[in-house]
Amino acid sequence: MEFPTPSPMKFDVPNVAESCKKWEKSFEVYRTAHEAFKKPEKVQVALLLHTAGPDAQTIFDTFQFRSGESKDKYSDVLQKFHEYVEPHRNVVYYSDYFLTKSSPIFFGGKY
């Protein structure tokens, strides 16, 4: 049975971390449906990079793997993407969210 591949990761959105988190959930469903977790990790990484698209592949090429980490280990590559997107969280959005009039902090309430 064929399942459609998830669309590529998007790195040109305001909240990259949230977008990638949603993409990862979709990819994990796809990976499970294809039983890719039964394949060698190098194949799983290749599937991840192929599905994630050219922007993700370019970003992957910049990753530095420490001793004990491997570019061929699925969990290590996924962790590198998490580390990459986390600093790209939309700080302006979150600052605005917490400083709006509806925020308990604004009214001096408990949080």
Side-chain angles (χ1 to χ4, degrees):
M1 182 178 217
E2 281 298 313
F3 300 94
T5 57
S7 56
M9 266 190 203
K10 294 183 179 169
F11 296 95
D12 61 347
V13 294
N15 193 337
V16 177
E18 192 62 32
S19 174
C20 288
K21 184 178 177 181
K22 288 178 182 177
W23 182 91
E24 183 182 344
K25 278 179 92 172
S26 178
F27 178 74
E28 286 301 324
V29 170
Y30 177 77
R31 181 174 168 248
T32 301
H34 278 277
E35 297 185 334
F37 56 89
K38 294 181 179 178
K39 306 246 188 230
E41 290 208 55
K42 188 172 184 171
V43 174
Q44 294 179 53
V45 169
L47 183 63
L48 171 85
L49 294 174
H50 172 72
T51 307
D55 290 343
Q57 293 168 21
T58 301
I59 291 166
F60 170 79
D61 290 338
T62 68
F63 293 158
Q64 300 291 316
F65 291 89
R66 295 180 287 271
S67 177
E69 295 178 333
S70 173
K71 67 178 184 166
D72 296 326
K73 187 173 179 189
Y74 180 79
S75 61
D76 289 347
V77 172
L78 209 52
Q79 181 59 37
K80 290 295 181 186
F81 274 108
H82 290 171
E83 291 170 7
Y84 177 82
V85 300
E86 193 57 35
H88 293 87
R89 248 184 213 289
N90 190 339
V91 176
V92 173
Y93 168 81
Y94 285 107
S95 296
D96 183 58
Y97 175 80
F98 287 112
L99 297 176
T100 60
K101 293 177 185 175
S102 62
S103 171
I105 296 171
F106 184 81
F107 289 112
K110 295 181 181 176
Y111 49 91

